[in-house]
Amino acid sequence: MLTPIPANERPTVVESVGEHESADAERTNKDPLRTYLWLVVSSDLVAIIASVASAVFARFNFTSDSLINTAPHGLVALGIAAAWFGTLSLNGAYDRRFFGVGTEEFKRVLVATCILFGLVGTISFVLKAELSRAFILIVLPVGLLALITGRTASRAWLKRERSSGRRLFRTLLIGQPEQTELLAAAFAVDPCAGFLAVEQISPPRTHTAGWIDTVSAQIQSHHIRAVAISQSDLITDELIRRLAWQLEGRGIDLLVAPILGDISGPRLTLRPAAGLPLIHLDEPHLTGGKRFAKRILDVVGATVLLVITSPLLLVTAVMIRVTSRGPVIFKQRRVGLEGSHFTMWKFRTMTQDSELGHEQAVANAMKLGSNTTLRNDPRITKVGRLLRRWSLDEFPQFLNVILGSMSLVGPRPLLVSEANNLPAQVQRRHLTKPGLTGLWQISGRKGTTWDERMRLDLYYVENWSPALDTIILLKTAKAVLTGHGAY
């Protein structure tokens, strides 16, 4: 029999951070994703019906003479539409765990679509049915594009809502105070993840019965929709099991934050062994097919971008030449893959022989946490200021990418003097090629602190994936167009 927890050992409510919220906010948080679910279901239905209808109308002429002959195809099209929506549901495309964050939501839409049309093709072949290839060639790309577009628009709406403090899961944090504070800070930095820390509770030191009752009362009084546990010595498997039993049937998510730092994504896989769900952690190396695929993307992407921007590059070179003395191209030694040195090229943006000193000054200012004195550096030429505003000074690095010393995406190459002073653990950023853009470029560019820059570089090395590269490239285009953090 379990012994009630003594009064002097009852859990400590560390901090309440959500009491100031309005009744309207609490009412919204009772079911944060209900509206989003209706949005994606509605957009999917519209996308499927519109793509199927457009394919039917594009393939067949609906005249009085052909309507009878076309009717069977119309029935098949309706069947495909119903099966499409059913396949999306069966493949977990409406699983709320993946709504609004990551790429899993889009992957499930893509996989479900491929499964459906693979089955349609197989059944058509086996039954020797005369299914129009033109119909499939129209409905598949149009429908998939419409599905992705609808999901993207719905996610943009959810992002705006969460950035404004709405549609968030009211979350109870369980753990030692220093751990829950870090977890609460992480949720606050990224509201789009969907969690709002409203209460923090310390784990029990001995008994659990009374502690579980207290947690249950806090969940009810604060309208909790998620419980996040930060692992520690006091958080046992028995405690988590009992808490899970208590939450069953209440529509409350139970999350456990593993002690793995910034390691996530493709490096983590569940590997059952001896009846235990072990987490397998892969080494963060780009080898074999992954390295080859990334290299192909670099060469093709950089070549295409170089050809497209070549007229602009020519105009830029002429402007630099006629407005200030000195070479058009500024060359600088940087640190690349596995600590090797290479020459990086940029358009010169400063008076002659001033560029190197400015780069070192930027690095020093980032380490000190202040860049204000660098925004109006008098050594920057008028043309150079324009180039920096739109990141045109970096375009010659397309040649670095093509020649293999850099990648399109990766940690930005450090000055030799910077790399020599890095702590040993930060040297891991050199496990991949340096990139023309990276995580810190889409997180504030020069407005990012040095420590945050190093953390983001290490996160990229630990969690590289093709999807992450694609996201960074897309967000880089937005950062360049807005000019945020550039000087």
Side-chain angles (χ1 to χ4, degrees), residues 393-409:
D393 58 320
E394 309 286 355
F395 280 23
Q397 288 160 45
F398 289 143
L399 290 173
N400 284 115
V401 174
I402 294 172
L403 295 176
S405 56
M406 292 180 63
S407 177
L408 285 176
V409 182

Side-chain angles (χ1 to χ4, degrees), residues 59 131-138:
R59 175 62 183 85
L131 185 62
S132 171
R133 286 187 291 252
F135 172 81
I136 297 298
L137 290 175
I138 294 172

Side-chain angles (χ1 to χ4, degrees), residues 48-49 52-53 56 70-86 116 131 135 139:
I48 291 171
I49 294 172
V52 169
V56 170
T70 307
H73 296 286
L75 293 176
V76 171
L78 288 176
I80 289 176
W84 201 342
F85 184 76
L116 171 68
L131 185 62
F135 172 81
V139 72

Side-chain angles (χ1 to χ4, degrees), residues 286 291 294-295 297-299 302 342 397-398 400-413 432-438 460 464 469 473:
L286 278 173
R291 184 182 293 275
K294 187 172 175 65
R295 179 61 183 151
L297 175 63
D298 285 341
V299 173
F342 72 99
Q397 288 160 45
F398 289 143
N400 284 115
V401 174
I402 294 172
L403 295 176
S405 56
M406 292 180 63
S407 177
L408 285 176
V409 182
R412 280 296 288 169
T432 62
K433 287 181 182 179
L436 195 150
T437 185
Y460 176 83
W464 175 87
D469 274 6
L473 288 171

Side-chain angles (χ1 to χ4, degrees), residues 441-457:
Q441 277 78 14
I442 63 174
S443 304
R445 299 163 81 178
K446 289 190 176 70
T448 309
T449 65
W450 178 265
D451 289 342
E452 180 68 5
R453 175 180 170 181
M454 293 300 104
R455 188 189 71 79
L456 291 171
D457 285 346

Side-chain angles (χ1 to χ4, degrees), residues 19 71 74 96 125 147 159 175 177 186 199 272 298 331 367 391 410 412 485:
E19 295 177 357
R96 63 201 295 271
F125 175 77
L147 286 171
K159 183 178 180 180
E199 194 74 14
D298 285 341
K331 300 178 182 179
K367 292 176 183 178
S391 297
R412 280 296 288 169

Side-chain angles (χ1 to χ4, degrees), residues 230-400:
S230 182
Q231 288 187 338
S232 70
D233 293 339
L234 298 177
I235 304 293
T236 63
D237 56 346
E238 177 67 17
L239 181 68
I240 296 176
R241 187 182 302 112
R242 288 179 177 274
L243 185 58
W245 292 343
Q246 185 68 24
L247 299 180
E248 283 181 358
R250 300 174 65 175
I252 298 172
D253 292 339
L254 180 60
L255 313 167
V256 179
I259 310 174
L260 290 172
D262 283 338
I263 300 172
S264 62
R267 291 186 59 201
L268 300 182
T269 54
L270 195 62
R271 184 175 179 178
L276 299 174
L278 303 180
I279 296 177
H280 182 79
L281 182 62
D282 293 326
E283 293 185 14
H285 287 294
L286 278 173
T287 58
K290 291 182 178 180
R291 184 182 293 275
F292 178 74
K294 187 172 175 65
R295 179 61 183 151
I296 292 297
L297 175 63
D298 285 341
V299 173
V300 173
T303 302
V304 171
L305 290 171
L306 187 62
V307 171
I308 292 175
T309 60
S310 56
L312 180 60
L313 299 182
L314 180 60
V315 172
T316 300
V318 172
M319 290 175 61
I320 295 172
R321 173 64 71 183
V322 301
T323 58
S324 63
R325 292 185 299 172
V328 170
I329 297 295
F330 170 71
K331 300 178 182 179
Q332 191 175 69
R333 296 296 288 174
R334 296 279 181 134
V335 179
L337 180 65
E338 298 180 351
S340 61
H341 295 182
F342 72 99
T343 299
M344 188 185 77
W345 299 310
K346 299 175 65 175
F347 280 128
R348 181 175 57 82
T349 60
M350 306 189 76
T351 56
Q352 192 171 4
D353 300 327
S354 296
E355 198 88 40
L356 181 58
H358 179 80
E359 294 287 343
Q360 188 64 62
V362 169
N364 293 338
M366 291 180 70
K367 292 176 183 178
L368 295 174
S370 174
N371 296 332
T372 55
T373 60
L374 301 173
R375 295 181 182 272
N376 298 309
D377 194 319
R379 296 173 296 179
I380 302 177
T381 64
K382 291 182 178 180
V383 172
R385 199 170 301 280
L386 179 66
L387 297 181
R388 287 169 179 259
R389 168 64 176 77
W390 301 105
S391 297
L392 296 176
D393 58 320
E394 309 286 355
F395 280 23
Q397 288 160 45
F398 289 143
L399 290 173
N400 284 115

Side-chain angles (χ1 to χ4, degrees), residues 91-93 95 97-98 104-112:
N91 196 53
D95 191 328
R97 293 175 299 168
F98 308 114
E104 185 63 28
E105 183 180 355
F106 296 101
K107 288 180 182 178
R108 293 187 175 223
V109 171
L110 177 61
V111 170

